[in-house]
Amino acid sequence: MFPAPNVFQRAPLPSATRESEPRHQGTMTTTAAPPATVANKPPATSSAKRRDAYFDNVKYLAIVLVAVAHSWEPVMDGSRTARALYMVAYTFHMPAFIIISGYFSRSFDMSAAKVKRLVTGVAVPYVVFETAYSLFKRYADDSPDHPISLIDPWYLTWFLVALFIWRITTPLWQSLRHPLPVALVIAVFASFSPTIGDDLDLQRVLQFLPFFVLGLRLRPKHFEMVRRREVRMLALPLFAGALVFAYWAASRMQLGWFYRSNSAQEMGAPWWSGAVMTLAMFGCALLLTIGFLSWVPRRPMWFTVLGAGTICGYLLHGFLIKGAEYAGLFDTYDWLSAPGGLALVSLVAAGAVTLMCTPPVRRVLRPVTEPEMDWAFRRDAARR
């Protein structure tokens, strides 16, 4: 297996079909070549170094859903339909992203090279963008007292903290006999433990943990099963039913259950409801994620290349949405809460995050999203 990439990064993805095949020493060639030909022939690109279009498509479509859902937050009040759509999107878009993160973390083993990639691809972007968002809040929102704290993630940077913690604990989950039930028990206990506090957003880290652990347990054959035609057909009534239920629950259910950033008691609910909702939300998220994954195209699409730049789209789109809020755009133009306004806001968010995932933006941000930092690591770190 190749070094585990960040879910956002440009690192090559494995082919789901080839990875499941047995690897034999002689499978790469079928006939013997003359010595001179072999000596002069450039090394063939292995299947492990080719990106899988399916997973790039998953990442791009998931990041579009994240950006669109964030754009609805300032304008969905007063619209039951918008709130229902928001609830459905929030049920599965981050779980889908986290499951894929876990799937590509399976080979993480605390080797020097992988620890280096974890630091440069997750920890460094967190420090840079947590600071940047805090400064943006201070000056764009006229909040000079807003703290700059690496212990208390603000807005969307929580995911980088969570990914760092999940990834670094991967060897533990890989060594357990039944890791998913253990992760679910931890999530349940977190849901009714208000004393956990806000440090490192541990409530979210623990309550979303089962999705990462589930991703660690997945294999290419599971994605092949998800993409079967009958699963796609079942996904249509599944999403239709989810929308109907969300419309009914829109005025009855707290959105805090979707964010997973607070315990049940902090939301004014009895402690036991945390356990019930944790398990119920896990089941609903898993079903909708399967439905979503079943409809993602397998073949290369016009947006496939953008899947390599989702870290840029994720980290940048928050400036656009928060900037519009700080400028009072949503308060000034009330019509943005109308159906036409919601459609416009959605299109702008989808278009903006698409541009943010393009190769030119990736190249500009590479010094902070994928820095080399050879000066900080021993020379042999990349080989160990």
Side-chain angles (χ1 to χ4, degrees), residues 175-357:
S175 66
L176 293 178
R177 189 182 297 273
H178 303 294
L180 184 56
V182 173
L184 281 169
V185 169
I186 291 174
V188 166
F189 273 99
S191 71
F192 53 77
S193 301
T195 56
I196 289 177
D198 297 327
D199 290 351
L200 299 180
D201 220 340
L202 282 179
Q203 275 287 0
R204 275 178 169 161
V205 173
L206 298 178
Q207 291 193 43
F208 276 115
L209 173 64
F211 298 104
F212 183 82
V213 175
L214 174 61
L216 290 175
R217 306 300 295 170
L218 294 180
R219 297 295 179 264
K221 64 180 181 180
H222 297 121
F223 289 95
E224 291 296 327
M225 294 169 60
V226 162
R227 293 183 290 187
R228 293 167 60 181
R229 185 176 182 275
E230 50 267 37
V231 177
R232 292 199 302 273
M233 294 300 100
L234 289 173
L236 297 176
L238 172 67
F239 273 95
L243 286 169
V244 171
F245 179 81
Y247 188 83
W248 172 84
S251 59
R252 298 173 172 86
M253 187 174 180
Q254 292 190 59
L255 294 178
W257 295 116
F258 299 89
Y259 303 146
R260 295 174 173 85
S261 56
N262 293 295
S263 64
Q265 296 94 314
E266 290 173 299
M267 291 188 288
W271 70 268
W272 55 264
S273 64
V276 173
M277 290 301 296
T278 296
L279 297 176
M281 292 294 292
F282 179 80
C284 292
L286 183 57
L287 288 175
L288 291 179
T289 297
I290 291 173
F292 167 69
L293 294 176
S294 71
W295 277 97
V296 173
R298 308 183 190 188
R299 64 186 185 280
M301 307 290 289
W302 65 266
F303 53 79
T304 300
V305 67
L306 303 177
T310 49
I311 186 172
C312 301
Y314 182 80
L315 292 174
L316 291 178
H317 81 273
F319 289 109
L320 175 65
I321 294 169
K322 286 297 182 182
E325 284 188 53
Y326 298 156
L329 182 67
F330 302 111
D331 296 327
T332 302
Y333 301 101
D334 295 338
W335 58 270
L336 290 175
S337 298
L342 285 168
L344 177 62
V345 168
S346 302
L347 288 174
V348 170
V353 78
T354 297
L355 292 175
M356 293 169 184
C357 293

Side-chain angles (χ1 to χ4, degrees), residues 130-131 133-139 141-149 152 154 326:
E130 174 64 23
T131 304
Y133 270 106
S134 298
L135 292 174
F136 187 63
K137 170 73 174 177
R138 279 188 178 186
Y139 298 107
D141 195 33
D142 193 21
S143 303
D145 296 329
H146 183 79
I148 300 176
S149 172
D152 186 11
W154 187 72
Y326 298 156

Side-chain angles (χ1 to χ4, degrees), residues 83 105 145 187 286 327 362-363:
R83 189 179 176 92
S105 297
D145 296 329
L286 183 57
R362 298 205 309 270
R363 286 194 291 269

